[in-house]
Amino acid sequence: MGEDVPPQAARVYASDLPKGLGEAELWQVFGNYGDIVSIEQVNDSGSEAVFVGYKELEAAKEACKILNYASMRGVMCRCLMADRLVVIRRTMNTGQRLIFEQLDPAIDSCGLSDLCSLFGEVLDCKVEVEEEPGSCGFGFVHFSTEDEAAKAKLFLSGVQLGSSAAEIRPFELADIVLFTGCRYAPPPTRLHARNSDPGASDWEDEAQPAQGTPEDMERSIWQQFQSLEYHYMEVLEDLESKLERLRDLIQLYEPSQERQIVVVAQPANVQPVAGVLCGSLAACDYDSLQSSTSAEDRRTVLEGYETGNLYVVTMSSEVCTRREFDLGRPASVLINFDCPPSLPYHLQRIYKRTGSGTRVHNFFSPTVDSKLAIPLLKALEEAGHDIPPELLELWSRMDQKG
């Protein structure tokens, strides 16, 4: 038997578990490493998660060592010591957490963590995946110190990782909506306990949510989406249809100093969008921002927009929510020429680029964006926004096939 330890110190937090794990399976899986005091269920932003309390600290450490990035029913889970969560929540926005984008689809959480551990201690790491197994192409790494994170960013930015050159930037609190299972929230309820200490489920006061927490940011992002007076999804099948609709909107809104427009498009579509703007506006009235835009040109565009001298700015999708590309004020009209790959990305883009009075147009392609249809429908309905009949029809067809 090991020495007595405080209940909190001998607890582990397991997230990204496969859906539907029952009581018996949980006890069986985690019981392989020592005597369990309690298992507590956590609702962590769309991810199955539990807190597991062990009688002995060594058992908790062994469970983390074996189960972190282990596969359960084909799903890669994460397993951390519970006392680490307090540190992670406190240091999310201090430079210790980095966002990795444009990741090779073959890179998973374990591989990214192993790579980044060359630069320091990794407290947590995750590559976000879709429900059907497959990388979303982005992830985060949370280091134990800012210096370690800075070193990793210095050496890995632009380096070829597999088939892609990863882009790395500091985490912003608005990024929290991009990831499931990463709120690190205290356990709300006791699910199962055997011979447990009455105080075993108490969470330290310092871990309780406070102002500026991930929960606060998530609420703010949703409230911003909900507060929009005009948010419209337009179902357009192909590129030519999108370009024609963009041309109509430019003519409709007549962009000016008082009515500035931001267009967000995939990198491959920035040039076709520029072609439409070229035919509708004077060359001095519009410009674009992409990852290849130099720092000097970026400053020129941002200053032009903020002073009202640029009426339309086209932003490539990979930079549209980055802090260094902040426009200084919300657009009067936001046109999502290409839908983002997921609902969280959509909500984040709305949060970063709009105010409550912004008019938002989203070009939805049934072929390219079909996976977004059902999440969008649910979000639009909950927020009280209009749902186009074409989107309802698409959902109906998908439901019949399913």
Side-chain angles (χ1 to χ4, degrees):
M1 296 291 291
E3 61 180 355
D4 292 335
V5 295
Q8 178 62 26
R11 300 173 80 199
V12 302
Y13 166 80
S15 185
D16 298 335
L17 298 172
K19 294 182 178 180
L21 278 181
E23 173 187 356
E25 290 175 286
L26 289 170
W27 282 90
Q28 181 178 6
V29 169
F30 291 97
N32 287 327
Y33 309 100
D35 293 332
I36 295 175
V37 173
S38 64
I39 294 181
E40 297 157 300
Q41 189 175 31
V42 180
N43 180 10
D44 194 349
S45 62
S47 170
E48 297 280 335
V50 294
F51 280 85
V52 180
Y54 287 93
K55 285 185 178 180
E56 299 180 6
L57 178 59
E58 290 306 314
K61 290 181 177 179
E62 182 69 9
C64 284
K65 178 181 177 182
I66 301 299
L67 294 178
N68 195 31
Y69 303 130
S71 178
M72 294 187 189
R73 293 186 185 172
V75 176
M76 183 178 288
C77 67
R78 290 160 38 241
C79 193
L80 313 173
M81 294 298 295
D83 56 5
R84 178 176 287 189
L85 306 191
V86 178
V87 177
I88 291 175
R89 281 174 64 89
R90 284 178 167 177
T91 58
M92 271 190 178
N93 209 26
T94 62
Q96 292 174 223
R97 177 172 287 212
L98 300 176
I99 295 292
F100 284 68
E101 297 174 309
Q102 311 299 320
L103 285 172
D104 183 326
I107 295 177
D108 60 16
S109 301
C110 184
L112 185 60
S113 178
D114 287 346
L115 172 66
C116 289
S117 65
L118 298 173
F119 303 96
E121 182 184 4
V122 174
L123 299 183
D124 193 17
C125 171
K126 179 175 182 178
V127 173
E128 187 68 15
V129 296
E130 298 175 322
E131 286 191 12
E132 295 181 5
S135 169
C136 292
F138 62 87
F140 72 82
V141 179
H142 198 120
F143 288 91
S144 62
T145 70
E146 293 179 52
D147 288 343
E148 292 169 351
K151 187 189 301 183
K153 185 175 184 296
L154 175 65
F155 282 96
L156 293 179
S157 291
V159 172
Q160 194 80 9
L161 302 178
S163 63
S164 304
E167 296 185 8
I168 306 172
R169 61 177 175 84
F171 172 87
E172 299 178 42
L173 206 52
D175 293 321
I176 198 68
V177 296
L178 302 180
F179 297 94
T180 56
C182 297
R183 305 302 186 272
Y184 313 103
T189 58
R190 172 72 55 82
L191 177 62
H192 305 293
R194 299 177 184 174
N195 303 320
S196 60
D197 184 329
S201 64
D202 292 339
W203 187 260
E204 297 175 12
D205 290 342
E206 59 186 354
Q208 294 292 343
Q211 292 300 314
T213 64
E215 292 80 9
D216 293 329
M217 177 55 69
E218 195 168 23
R219 281 191 294 271
S220 296
I221 289 173
W222 175 255
Q223 288 167 1
Q224 175 66 19
F225 175 67
Q226 196 171 33
S227 71
L228 291 172
E229 296 178 8
Y230 188 94
H231 178 280
Y232 194 67
M233 302 298 302
E234 306 188 36
V235 179
L236 301 168
E237 185 60 50
D238 52 31
L239 178 60
E240 288 305 316
S241 300
K242 289 183 175 183
L243 293 172
E244 186 61 35
R245 180 55 177 157
L246 175 63
R247 189 175 292 109
D248 292 342
L249 290 175
I250 296 297
Q251 293 175 357
L252 172 67
Y253 286 115
E254 298 181 344
S256 63
Q257 284 187 328
E258 292 74 32
R259 182 174 283 173
Q260 291 172 292
I261 296 177
V262 172
V263 182
V264 181
Q266 295 288 354
N269 289 333
V270 170
Q271 196 59 41
V273 166
V276 170
L277 300 179
C278 178
S280 306
L281 301 168
C284 61
D285 292 339
Y286 67 92
D287 212 326
S288 64
L289 290 169
Q290 304 181 67
S291 59
S292 58
T293 304
S294 68
E296 182 179 354
D297 288 344
R298 183 174 73 227
R299 284 193 296 270
T300 300
V301 173
L302 295 179
E303 288 173 6
Y305 180 87
E306 194 164 4
T307 58
N309 292 324
L310 280 178
Y311 302 162
V312 180
V313 172
T314 302
M315 306 185 77
S316 64
S317 54
E318 80 271 24
V319 304
C320 70
T321 58
R322 291 190 187 177
R323 183 181 300 167
E324 64 268 32
F325 287 85
D326 278 350
L327 295 171
R329 58 181 177 182
S332 297
V333 180
L334 173 66
I335 301 173
N336 283 315
F337 188 87
D338 294 301
C339 279
S342 67
L343 179 63
Y345 257 124
H346 180 69
L347 297 178
Q348 186 196 41
R349 188 181 293 179
I350 295 292
Y351 178 77
K352 297 281 284 189
R353 294 289 164 252
T354 70
S356 60
T358 301
R359 299 174 73 85
V360 180
H361 293 264
N362 306 280
F363 296 172
F364 181 94
S365 168
T367 304
V368 177
D369 305 318
S370 59
K371 289 191 297 185
L372 198 56
I374 293 176
L376 264 177
L377 272 169
K378 292 179 179 178
L380 291 170
E381 184 177 28
E382 186 176 348
H385 294 314
D386 291 337
I387 301 175
E390 299 92 337
L391 197 58
L392 286 171
E393 183 181 346
L394 176 63
W395 172 81
S396 179
R397 292 201 303 267
M398 293 173 63
D399 190 49
Q400 289 174 4
K401 289 181 181 179

